[in-house]
Amino acid sequence: MAKDSGQATVSSRVYEILRPYAEGIALTPETHLSDDLNIDSIELVEVGVALEKEFSKQFTITSLKSCPTVQDLVKLVEQTVAAEQVQSV
């Protein structure tokens, strides 16, 4: 059960980072970062910096570009956070 609440926390934190880019658009897992939110490469770097500050993890621009939707971005963050936790055990 703790894992679910942790995932919800990651998800809600990612949504909060993306909210400023969603002017008048409801964020859903299927929301496309480029097509729906019009996030360009510079803004994607800004999102990456915000994610790094929020989660104290590094995200490469290549990994961020491989995430077309909000759901994909959440999964990337969850996997990065989980991988770091496994390495520290």
Side-chain angles (χ1 to χ4, degrees):
M1 198 167 187
K3 184 177 181 183
D4 290 337
S5 65
Q7 289 176 342
T9 301
V10 167
S11 178
S12 64
R13 290 160 69 188
V14 171
Y15 275 70
E16 282 303 311
I17 288 168
L18 293 175
R19 198 163 317 285
Y21 300 95
E23 298 173 12
I25 298 172
L27 286 174
T28 69
E30 295 79 26
T31 302
H32 198 277
L33 301 178
S34 175
D35 294 344
D36 298 326
L37 302 181
N38 296 314
I39 292 178
D40 62 22
S41 57
I42 292 174
E43 291 169 325
L44 190 60
V45 170
E46 292 172 356
V47 168
V49 169
L51 290 170
E52 288 177 0
K53 287 180 180 178
E54 181 68 24
F55 295 98
S56 301
K57 307 287 180 236
Q58 290 189 344
F59 299 92
T60 66
I61 191 66
T62 304
S63 65
L64 295 171
K65 283 183 176 181
S66 72
C67 299
T69 66
V70 172
Q71 180 176 5
D72 295 323
L73 189 59
V74 169
K75 284 182 184 178
L76 171 69
V77 173
E78 288 173 347
Q79 290 170 349
T80 302
V81 169
E84 187 72 22
Q85 290 172 349
V86 169
Q87 289 177 357
S88 66
V89 171

